[in-house]
Amino acid sequence: MVAAAETAVNGEAGTTALAWIVTVLPLVSFFLIVLFGKRLPGGGAWIGIVAVGAGLVMSLVVLSHFIGGGEATELSEDWFRVGDLRFELGQYVDGLTAVMLVVVTTVSLCVQVYSLGYMRGDARFTWFYAVISLFTGSMLNVVIANNLLQLLVGWELMGVCSYLLIGHWWEEKENSDSAIKAFITTRIGDVPFLFGIFVLIVATGTANIPEITGAIGGGAISRGLLTAGALLLFGGAIGKSAQFPLHVWLPDAMAGPTPVSALIHAATMVAAGVYLVGRMFSVFVNADPWVLTFVAAIGATTMLIAALLAMIQDDIKRVLAYSTVSQLAYMVAGLSLGPAGYTAGLFHLFTHAFFKALLFLGSGSVIHAVHSNNMSEMGGLRRPMPVTFWTFLIGSAALSGIPPLAGFWSKDEIISTAFHEQHYIVWGIALVTAVITAFYMARAVLLTFFGEYRGHGHPHESPATITGPLVVLAGLSVVVGFLNATAFDVTLFSEWVHFGEGEHLPFNYGFAAISVVGALAGIAVGYRLYARWRERDPLRRLGPAYTLLERKYFLDDVYLRGVVRPIQYRASAAVNWSNRFILDGIVHTFAWTARQFSRLVEVVDRRVVDRGVNTAAGLTGFTGGILRYIQSGNVQRYAVFLFVGVILLAIGISIRA
Amino acid sequence: MIAQISPPELDFLPVAPELVLAGGGMAIMLAEAALPRVTSRVLLIASLLIVAGAAGITVALWGWDGEPTVLAGMVATDRFAVLIRGVLLAVAAIGAVYGHHQFDRAGERRPEFFPLLLFATTGMTLIAAASDLILTFLALEILSLSLYVLAGFSRRVTASEASMKYFLLGAFSSAFFLYGVALAYGATGTTSIGGIARALSGPSEGLPLAMVAAALLAVGFSFKVAAVPFHMWTPDVYQGAPTAVVGFMSAATKVAAFAALIRVFNVAFLPLSWDWTPIVGVLAAVTMVVGSLLAIAQTDVKRMLAYSSIAHAGFILTGVMAANQEGIASATFYLVAYALMIVGAFGVVLLVSGDERTSLSSYAGLAVRSPLLAALLSLFLLSLAGIPPTAGFMAKVSVFRAAVDAGHTWVVIVAVLASVVAAFFYLRVIVLVYMKEPEEELQPDRSPLPALTVAVPAVATLVLGVFPGLVFGLLETASIFRW
């Protein structure tokens, strides 16, 4: 992009013109790190950190444009032309873009600083930083793109980067399998996405997002095309944002280094799907109403099944992974509520990025210390790792929706909007899921940080490069919710990110109370079940009395065996089973079928022919090397095929003529 | 009565690149006969100089402002011909380096390689500029005969087999092509591409005959570009022929044959486009699907790339069927991108496998042995798979968009699905290269010259992926045919 050639479209670009520099910085740093990283002290990591840090500062400047109620701006120039077809390279910056710029750069900065400690001594340290930079740049490109084809470039590049990062430790076969799974699964979602882009181009004659939005607003576009376009775009979002039934890749994506998980799960990749729905929201709103109902159904289903799965995981990163799937579903469900839920859904995307990055980085800190992902080998870590503990606790509370932390405000907004919009099923499921969320986070915190240490060695607190980002993100997880704290009439976020008039619900203490009580109930159940897990109590000597006390008059057993366990395990196990066997089965069957089919074609193509030929050669005797090869008869067969082709062509023409 | 035969005005400048190539080829042949001690390196340098000379003239022809056709309407002087010539000459230069390296390293003395390469290139550049079907056929034969010999250019039996197959089937398809030329003449009374277009755009009796002619010409071209069901020779020939030759022919033959196909169908038979686009569409769809599916089952890297090149023929046909300037421009861009990535990919194969160890399993852990070659191979594979920021991605997107814009949505649907299937097998190789431990001791060739040569298309692939405008800018005028 050449700054001089840019033209502002609507409104003075002003400071928003910085947005594309924010995007280009990590891309430049990618090349610098690849080219010179290994020769630099620190393996080139500082290039990436400085680039994204500068990007963060500029993103804040861009955001400041909207604090005073600035208008959306667009800059664009021809990337290239094919005849009359225009391919643009440009940026469209509105409040949503600005907010996402800040989120992506913040999380990426934290992740990169954190990786200084976490990835130290890694054999491919420099490469890791290079790909992280490219990944960040790709996501930023998705965020600022003013046209769908440019967005697609970033979208696909992210797919490649995620594949590289998830497979970073490819020495274990499982990891490279996970990388492939992530790449292929999201690519399956890319197919409808690509079709969706073409449908919109056909419908509106342009790939430019503001123009598409304008054309739809003009009402000239057929509703059928919009419906098809919305469904297809949503297909892309399902793949990238790991919604049912394409959510299978995300838990496996845990195979990558933990900072990568944080980046993928918080600010990039999975956020892209939700962002896409938000960016192209006018397509969804103007399509047939059942499209949004369908989106709601996917959101509600995903939300619940993922949360149930999170309850039974032993691997701490898997708990968080399923939690991400579930929280993304909240965002999807929020968006499915139509214009009223637009701000709520995207606000949750915003807040979730901070506390989920925090949780992942926190889990990484723990894993770094105990050298295991399994919570059964953790326990009692709050004493040796106080910083990690407190920050993780804040993240968990934020995720569980405890006021006044970030997750409370955004989740509550989704839940109360669902009720207000009379989507009672979504509302009900969202509430239930909120309870489960609080429960599994309580479980994770208790198993990891409370009780006795059950692992090996003596865990220590992580170095400052690791705890520093944790503290920063914890601080942000506390404060960012106040950007839209409707209870205090703060509605900054809705001023930046809104659809249409951007009406927002007044804060309802009743609903807030229900949410909070639900969350607390979840935590309480978690505490009851896991606070004393695996502790050997000296009071055991009391014998039967202890047993009675231990079993709490056997009431817990009744709850546990009769209610909680069966529900918890059966439901979770059932979902787990269907996940493992049915959905994975479908993916595998698909791959298998494709492979078998191609083998079949191969057989027809070559083997059958060859075999016939070889038999013939055998019969005519050992005529020897060259002759057998050259006069194998293969060629005649090939010529027959060629002739068949000619005949088919002739038939084709006679049909036309 | 004495007929007044005025000799046509002869302007040889527009065919000067071909004259230089052919003359240079003959000079090398004679020099080699007269001086039997001349080394392959000297011949390589001479060939590169000849190619460079031809390229220089080609660049000068960009500014040609004379007649649209010269030599009695035989040769077009438009910028399309100039652009395609440029691509072909670049590929020829790379191919010359490959060939020199392969034969030199094997200790084989093959001085005939260079003249044959230059003759093949002569045919290719000529076919790109041919504006008369007679010349198209002539050029087709020039390039084919040279390639038949080149394909068998090895002591290995499989090479002779490949060469023989290629020759027999090629002769077969040439017959169809020639028959098509005859019928076109029968239908329109001319073999001039522009003349046919003029005849067909007026009210005409011979339309069904012209359609049959178009179909037979399509058979001839489809064979050369390896479109299904005329692709059967491709995997066998690519596998059997020397890798250096395959690198050259996979890129250059497709570019040349497609250039002629685009010219014939978008000029001569443009008035019939309503009739032939659905047929080309079916051809494109079948080619993409069969090529992509069969590539999955391959265990040999050269066969896999062969099926990949078949699939790419389908994608290019998708652009051709748009039958408008956008279609021509995007298909031509695709050709440029394809030539870069396939010549590069085979270059890596040459360095890693040579002719013998072409099993895919021998690519396991290549990244450990040679990070540079692994990175180059991955880049070419990503581009072949159509993933940004490579030229392959831009090529696919622009071809798809042109086809959608022309209303051929169904072909694009097939194309997108095929490209997803294709991602499977390209990715599989990248996984092998980066994420598997090496199984056997494989010593990649570490010679600097060919590695440097492979780096050229690699850089170009990236540059065109980010700045496709560099080529599309040229195509603004180069996708307009003058006749």
Side-chain angles (χ1 to χ4, degrees):
Chain A
M1 263 193 278
V2 184
E6 287 168 352
T7 48
V9 175
N10 49 344
E12 277 298 310
T15 53
T16 59
L18 286 173
W20 68 267
I21 303 178
V22 176
T23 306
V24 171
L25 277 174
L27 298 176
V28 172
S29 94
F30 164 73
F31 283 108
L32 290 179
I33 295 174
V34 166
L35 293 176
F36 309 112
K38 283 208 168 146
R39 269 166 251 156
L40 294 175
W46 288 103
I47 301 177
I49 291 173
V50 169
V52 78
L56 172 59
V57 174
M58 289 185 218
S59 303
L60 289 170
V61 174
V62 171
L63 185 61
S64 71
H65 173 84
F66 295 95
I67 287 178
E71 295 218 336
T73 66
E74 189 185 5
L75 294 175
S76 146
E77 71 166 53
D78 273 7
W79 189 2
F80 60 99
R81 277 172 178 278
V82 183
D84 292 333
L85 300 179
R86 230 178 124 221
F87 290 76
E88 290 177 284
L89 204 55
Q91 61 169 51
Y92 175 72
V93 183
D94 62 0
L96 175 59
T97 313
V99 164
M100 287 303 292
L101 286 177
V102 173
V103 170
V104 174
T105 48
T106 306
V107 173
S108 178
L109 179 63
C110 288
V111 164
Q112 292 196 34
V113 171
Y114 178 94
S115 304
L116 283 177
Y118 194 85
M119 299 299 286
R120 200 177 55 194
D122 190 88
R124 290 182 285 270
F125 182 84
T126 301
W127 177 238
F128 175 84
Y129 267 89
V131 181
I132 287 270
S133 282
L134 183 60
F135 201 171
T136 309
S138 312
M139 179 64 191
L140 291 169
N141 182 46
V142 167
V143 170
I144 69 161
N146 76 328
N147 68 85
L148 286 169
L149 293 171
Q150 186 186 340
L151 194 151
L152 177 71
V153 172
W155 184 274
E156 293 276 346
L157 256 181
M158 259 199 291
V160 179
C161 291
S162 69
Y163 159 74
L164 292 173
L165 287 171
I166 294 167
H168 186 76
W169 290 325
W170 49 263
E171 283 83 353
E172 282 171 48
K173 187 180 179 303
E174 209 181 302
N175 295 355
S176 59
D177 286 352
S178 308
I180 297 169
K181 188 171 179 182
F183 188 74
I184 298 293
T185 315
T186 52
R187 255 197 98 81
I188 290 174
D190 291 351
V191 175
F193 178 46
L194 203 55
F195 289 154
I197 292 177
F198 284 126
V199 165
L200 290 179
I201 290 178
V202 168
T204 62
T206 174
N208 181 290
I209 294 170
E211 281 174 29
I212 290 176
T213 312
I216 292 170
I221 314 300
S222 94
R223 178 163 271 209
L225 276 178
L226 284 182
T227 303
L231 281 177
L232 290 167
L233 287 185
F234 188 58
I238 285 179
K240 267 299 192 260
S241 285
Q243 297 295 291
F244 178 85
L246 291 181
H247 63 279
V248 287
W249 66 270
L250 197 88
D252 285 7
M254 294 300 101
T258 308
V260 172
S261 311
L263 195 59
I264 289 181
H265 286 255
T268 59
M269 192 87 177
V270 296
V274 177
Y275 175 80
L276 175 74
V277 177
R279 176 52 78 220
M280 305 307 295
F281 203 54
S282 57
V283 179
F284 287 84
V285 172
N286 290 287
D288 273 337
W290 62 264
V291 171
L292 281 181
T293 312
F294 174 71
V295 173
I298 293 285
T301 313
T302 312
M303 181 188 302
L304 189 61
I305 62 161
L308 286 170
L309 283 167
M311 295 200 306
I312 60 155
Q313 305 302 324
D314 185 35
D315 181 332
I316 186 168
K317 284 174 76 182
R318 278 184 175 265
V319 175
L320 297 175
Y322 282 116
S323 154
T324 303
V325 175
S326 175
Q327 297 302 308
L328 287 165
Y330 266 104
M331 304 166 201
V332 169
L335 289 169
S336 78
L337 302 172
Y342 180 80
T343 305
L346 292 171
F347 188 45
H348 197 53
L349 177 65
F350 174 72
T351 60
H352 175 258
F354 296 106
F355 56 75
K356 189 48 71 66
L358 166 62
L359 287 171
F360 265 110
L361 295 181
S363 75
S365 173
V366 170
I367 292 165
H368 194 65
V370 305
H371 304 292
S372 167
N373 283 11
N374 296 331
M375 294 190 290
S376 53
E377 293 169 47
M378 296 174 184
L381 293 174
R382 74 180 186 282
R383 269 183 292 269
M385 309 182 73
V387 182
T388 306
F389 166 64
W390 283 107
T391 51
F392 196 90
L393 192 67
I394 291 173
S396 305
L399 176 59
S400 307
I402 302 297
L405 303 175
F408 164 72
W409 301 103
S410 53
K411 199 186 284 184
D412 182 63
E413 208 171 318
I414 293 176
I415 294 175
S416 53
T417 309
F419 189 85
H420 190 258
E421 293 291 306
Q422 298 166 350
H423 280 67
Y424 298 118
I425 298 177
V426 172
W427 175 74
I429 292 179
L431 260 186
V432 171
T433 307
V435 177
I436 301 174
T437 306
F439 169 76
Y440 65 65
M441 283 321 294
R443 172 177 177 268
V445 168
L446 289 164
L447 289 183
T448 309
F449 292 103
F450 288 83
E452 294 289 322
Y453 181 56
R454 299 178 293 273
H456 309 285
H458 297 281
H460 297 290
E461 183 59 280
S462 303
T465 47
I466 289 184
T467 51
L470 293 182
V471 172
V472 170
L473 285 169
L476 286 170
S477 301
V478 175
V479 298
V480 290
F482 289 101
L483 286 175
N484 223 27
T486 40
F488 310 117
D489 275 334
V490 182
T491 53
L492 261 181
F493 191 87
S494 9
E495 280 160 30
W496 299 335
V497 179
H498 55 82
F499 189 78
E501 288 306 303
E503 32 146 356
H504 55 83
L505 291 176
F507 189 74
N508 185 320
Y509 283 95
F511 281 124
I514 296 176
S515 303
V516 173
V517 168
L520 291 175
I523 293 172
V525 175
Y527 186 78
R528 286 295 285 279
L529 293 179
Y530 293 102
R532 293 190 176 272
W533 196 58
R534 286 201 184 202
E535 272 190 24
R536 185 169 165 76
D537 202 295
L539 293 175
R540 239 172 223 291
R541 280 182 213 149
L542 289 173
Y546 169 77
T547 313
L548 190 70
L549 285 172
E550 188 197 28
R551 301 285 171 89
K552 303 214 173 67
Y553 314 104
F554 293 100
L555 275 178
D556 268 4
D557 262 7
V558 175
Y559 288 142
L560 210 65
R561 284 205 193 134
V563 186
V564 179
R565 281 270 163 77
I567 291 177
Q568 179 186 338
Y569 280 93
R570 296 247 168 84
S572 299
V575 179
N576 201 8
W577 183 87
S578 73
N579 206 37
R580 280 268 154 93
F581 293 94
I582 299 183
L583 293 172
D584 280 11
I586 291 171
V587 172
H588 289 155
T589 312
F590 179 75
W592 184 85
T593 315
R595 215 174 298 132
Q596 292 307 313
F597 185 65
S598 87
R599 265 195 207 135
L600 183 76
V601 184
E602 163 90 359
V603 166
V604 176
D605 199 60
R606 198 155 69 98
R607 304 257 167 82
V608 172
V609 175
D610 271 3
R611 203 160 290 157
V613 168
N614 291 343
T615 322
L619 285 174
T620 44
F622 304 100
T623 40
I626 299 170
L627 273 181
R628 194 180 136 213
Y629 272 102
I630 295 176
Q631 304 186 334
S632 66
N634 241 339
V635 181
Q636 285 94 313
R637 291 295 171 105
Y638 289 1
V640 168
F641 269 91
L642 211 155
F643 195 66
V644 169
V646 174
I647 290 170
L648 288 177
L649 216 58
I651 293 170
I653 288 168
S654 49
I655 291 170
R656 297 291 307 169
Chain B
M1 268 195 284
I2 300 165
Q4 279 296 114
I5 300 175
S6 57
E9 220 173 292
L10 295 181
D11 193 340
F12 285 106
L13 183 62
V15 287
E18 285 74 28
L19 296 177
V20 169
L21 286 170
M26 277 185 260
I28 289 184
M29 205 158 62
L30 292 174
E32 191 275 322
L35 311 162
R37 279 161 183 269
V38 67
T39 61
S40 173
R41 181 177 295 268
V42 173
L43 293 178
L44 170 69
I45 292 169
S47 310
L48 289 179
L49 286 175
I50 291 163
V51 170
I57 301 169
T58 305
V59 171
L61 281 173
W62 182 264
W64 174 267
D65 52 4
E67 295 293 311
T69 56
V70 295
L71 300 175
M74 282 282 170
V75 175
T77 58
D78 50 28
R79 289 182 169 179
F80 179 76
V82 175
L83 181 70
I84 296 290
R85 272 197 191 110
V87 178
L88 289 168
L89 291 170
V91 172
I94 294 172
V97 176
Y98 286 179
H100 160 74
H101 179 74
Q102 178 167 13
F103 299 125
D104 204 42
R105 199 176 163 80
E108 294 180 38
R109 204 180 127 68
R110 296 279 186 185
E112 329 81 279
F113 171 79
F114 298 100
L116 282 168
L117 182 90
L118 292 174
F119 294 147
T121 313
T122 310
M124 290 166 180
T125 55
L126 199 55
I127 205 172
S131 76
D132 190 293
L133 289 176
I134 299 288
L135 186 63
T136 308
F137 180 71
L138 211 63
L140 193 67
E141 289 303 293
I142 296 174
L143 76 91
S144 300
L145 288 172
S146 316
L147 286 176
Y148 300 149
V149 181
L150 282 174
F153 228 62
S154 162
R155 298 212 183 92
R156 291 160 58 243
V157 173
T158 48
S160 315
E161 181 195 358
S163 167
M164 197 65 193
K165 270 181 197 164
Y166 192 25
F167 167 64
L168 288 175
L169 293 168
F172 195 47
S173 74
S174 287
F176 284 106
F177 187 90
L178 199 55
Y179 199 27
V181 176
L183 287 182
Y185 183 77
T188 62
T190 175
T191 54
S192 148
I193 289 176
I196 293 172
R198 271 186 287 274
L200 291 179
S201 46
S204 167
E205 300 280 308
L207 284 184
L209 197 57
M211 266 312 285
V212 176
L216 290 174
L217 293 174
V219 171
F221 286 129
S222 297
F223 177 81
K224 284 290 168 213
V225 305
V228 177
F230 310 105
H231 69 288
M232 305 291 290
W233 59 275
T234 317
D236 289 13
V237 172
Y238 281 21
Q239 189 182 22
T243 307
V245 172
V246 179
F248 168 69
M249 70 182 278
S250 61
T253 314
K254 198 156 291 198
V255 172
F258 257 114
L261 184 152
I262 291 171
R263 187 186 290 279
V264 167
F265 278 81
N266 279 297
V267 178
F269 294 103
L270 191 62
L272 302 182
S273 65
W274 196 82
D275 291 296
W276 61 255
T277 42
I279 296 169
V280 171
V282 172
L283 210 60
V286 174
T287 304
M288 289 183 281
V289 171
V290 171
S292 301
L293 281 177
L294 284 178
I296 298 177
Q298 302 311 316
T299 54
D300 180 289
V301 66
K302 284 167 84 180
R303 285 192 86 86
M304 190 206 88
L305 287 174
Y307 281 110
S308 150
S309 91
I310 292 169
H312 281 285
F315 290 113
I316 300 169
L317 282 173
T318 307
V320 174
M321 79 173 296
N324 54 24
Q325 208 204 331
E326 287 83 31
I328 297 167
S330 56
T332 312
F333 181 84
Y334 204 123
L335 278 177
V336 175
Y338 165 81
L340 290 171
M341 54 211 190
I342 200 81
V343 82
F346 272 114
V348 177
V349 173
L350 173 66
L351 292 178
V352 176
S353 320
D355 275 354
E356 304 293 342
R357 313 176 75 163
T358 54
S359 156
L360 270 178
S361 60
S362 61
Y363 281 72
L366 177 65
V368 182
R369 296 268 160 64
S370 171
L372 176 70
L373 288 179
L376 288 171
L377 182 63
S378 308
L379 175 70
F380 292 126
L381 291 174
L382 286 177
S383 186
L384 286 165
I387 286 165
T390 59
F393 172 79
M394 294 321 305
K396 279 212 172 74
V397 167
S398 54
V399 163
F400 291 173
R401 196 167 167 198
V404 165
D405 220 54
H408 304 300
T409 317
W410 70 271
V411 183
V412 175
I413 291 175
V414 175
V416 170
L417 292 173
S419 64
V420 171
V421 172
F424 274 97
F425 62 83
Y426 296 121
L427 193 70
R428 204 181 55 172
V429 180
I430 299 180
V431 169
L432 268 178
V433 166
Y434 278 98
M435 300 188 173
K436 293 281 183 287
E437 296 297 335
E439 281 168 18
E440 48 183 308
E441 271 310 307
L442 182 80
Q443 278 309 324
D445 194 335
R446 292 185 193 282
S447 323
L449 177 65
L452 207 65
T453 314
V454 176
V456 172
V459 171
T461 301
L462 271 179
V463 169
L464 287 188
V466 182
F467 306 106
L470 293 176
V471 168
F472 278 114
L474 300 178
L475 278 167
E476 272 180 26
T477 48
S479 58
I480 299 167
F481 295 106
R482 300 171 67 216
W483 42 278

